[in-house]
Amino acid sequence: MINGIFSSGGRKSAVFLTVLLSSFLLSGCLVRFMYDWLDVYAAWKIDDYFDITRSQKSSLYSELDGIIAWHRRSELAKYSAYLREISAAAEKPLSEAQVRDFLDRAYEMSRDLLRHSAPSMNRLAARLSDEQIKSYLADRTRHQQNDRDDFMKDHGVKAHRKFKKQLVSSLEYALGSIEPSQQHYVDTLAGWYVIIYPKWLDYEELWVNELVRTFGERGKPAFEKDIILLFLNAPELGGGRYSEFIRMYNDKLVRWISDFSARLTPEQREHFRERLDDLADELDSIGR
């Protein structure tokens, strides 16, 4: 959940895992609706990014159909079991080791999805023209610069307010409410967000540069390896220049989740577990 807030639109792991592993905040029927329409949503987003042709769109739907069929058959049961494990563990405060294990396993599930999808992504990328890629990259660079300008304009005040609002909304939905005694944790994470955000903007600049290089490999085996690293925000990007920053970010996030989980009331804990169990039930139903 928190990691999803920090990620930028162009880098979010993959449509499927972003929707499914973050969607314990959603009702079961909405999860089913979103899953059933994933191909349409993914095609719409890709068309928005690249302004694809009719022929390219036909190929895109063909690739998406194959990925979704595999995903429904092979992966949903894994997600359901994963969510039930979190629910069972959340009956008590989560240790840092438990939080790290759950995050690592989500990362590996993302990697599995990307490994399976990378050949399709490579074939689709190879069908894109240089002009389509150039236009997309220019748009990404423009958005990145706008984010930096907006942040610098008011020294992060607006970004802090927006993040805090998103965080409160997500926590209230997941837990049912936020207690006054827990507000300190919300303020701490929101304050930390403003402190690290400039570094994230620097990392995004590196990320876009790596994307430019990776698109130059489309149609070749190297594209599949490098696109996985990009979508996973892998520490080895850019020769590992940001590996220490990413490690520090992950360590702080793990500690925050563990500490916050120890402050949940019995009512919040039960509400959270019900959300997870309901989503696991719905994923089992979708996967049948």
Side-chain angles (χ1 to χ4, degrees):
M1 175 181 60
I2 305 302
N3 195 39
I5 294 172
F6 274 93
S7 299
S8 67
R11 302 202 311 273
K12 288 180 181 175
S13 297
V15 173
F16 304 105
L17 203 66
T18 298
V19 170
L20 293 171
L21 292 187
S22 299
S23 60
F24 68 85
L25 300 177
L26 304 173
S27 65
C29 61
L30 183 54
V31 171
R32 175 179 288 275
F33 174 83
M34 294 175 70
Y35 193 89
D36 288 344
W37 286 87
L38 272 176
D39 57 341
V40 176
Y41 174 76
W44 171 73
K45 289 299 292 183
I46 292 171
D47 187 30
D48 185 48
Y49 290 149
F50 296 104
D51 191 21
I52 58 178
T53 65
R54 179 175 298 180
S55 173
Q56 290 169 335
K57 187 172 292 189
S58 176
S59 298
L60 173 59
Y61 273 110
S62 177
E63 297 286 359
L64 287 172
D65 286 345
I67 293 172
I68 292 173
W70 163 81
H71 191 263
R72 186 188 296 265
R73 180 180 65 252
S74 173
E75 301 302 289
L76 291 188
K78 297 177 186 178
Y79 295 172
S80 173
Y82 172 77
L83 292 171
R84 293 188 196 283
E85 284 190 54
I86 298 176
S87 174
E91 186 175 5
K92 299 178 181 179
L94 299 173
S95 68
E96 290 185 24
Q98 285 177 301
V99 173
R100 194 177 299 279
D101 177 63
F102 283 130
L103 292 178
D104 287 347
R105 288 166 61 188
Y107 186 88
E108 284 307 310
M109 284 189 284
S110 298
R111 187 183 288 274
D112 289 344
L113 173 58
L114 288 165
R115 283 193 188 113
H116 185 89
S117 305
S120 291
M121 296 166 70
N122 198 6
R123 287 190 291 269
L124 292 169
R127 294 177 65 90
L128 296 173
S129 69
D130 290 342
E131 282 303 310
Q132 286 173 308
I133 292 174
K134 182 179 178 181
S135 176
Y136 167 70
L137 292 173
D139 186 60
R140 289 301 312 149
T141 301
R142 184 168 58 254
H143 278 295
Q144 180 192 16
Q145 188 58 51
N146 288 341
D147 288 344
R148 186 180 295 276
D149 291 344
D150 287 345
F151 183 83
M152 297 302 294
K153 193 179 302 180
D154 62 3
H155 305 287
V157 172
K158 182 180 177 181
H160 176 272
R161 187 183 304 120
K162 180 180 179 181
F163 174 76
K164 186 174 179 179
K165 182 178 179 180
Q166 290 175 324
L167 178 59
V168 168
S169 177
S170 296
L171 289 174
E172 286 180 341
Y173 201 96
L175 305 175
S177 64
I178 300 176
E179 298 294 313
S181 61
Q182 297 165 341
Q183 189 61 45
H184 164 73
Y185 288 90
V186 175
D187 294 338
T188 296
L189 190 61
W192 176 48
Y193 169 78
V194 173
I195 293 172
I196 70 169
Y197 191 66
K199 194 76 170 180
W200 272 114
L201 291 173
D202 293 341
Y203 178 79
E204 283 196 358
E205 185 174 337
L206 165 71
W207 193 91
V208 171
N209 291 335
E210 290 287 317
L211 182 62
V212 171
R213 183 186 60 77
T214 300
F215 267 127
E217 300 170 334
R218 66 192 191 277
K220 303 174 183 177
F223 176 91
E224 296 176 22
K225 174 179 68 71
D226 290 341
I227 202 69
I228 291 173
L229 296 180
L230 277 166
F231 275 90
L232 289 174
N233 293 326
E236 52 264 51
L237 286 178
R241 194 188 324 164
Y242 288 89
S243 59
E244 182 61 23
F245 168 69
I246 293 173
R247 184 196 63 77
M248 178 273 295
Y249 160 73
N250 288 335
D251 287 347
K252 281 184 173 290
L253 184 63
V254 165
R255 194 174 305 118
W256 186 91
I257 294 173
S258 177
D259 288 348
F260 190 78
S261 76
R263 271 68 182 178
L264 297 182
T265 67
E267 293 77 16
Q268 288 173 322
R269 203 174 296 282
E270 185 61 26
H271 191 279
F272 178 64
R273 296 185 65 212
E274 286 179 0
R275 292 279 182 201
L276 292 171
D277 291 339
D278 286 348
L279 177 56
D281 289 343
E282 189 60 31
L283 293 184
D284 285 338
S285 175
I286 295 171
R288 292 192 188 106

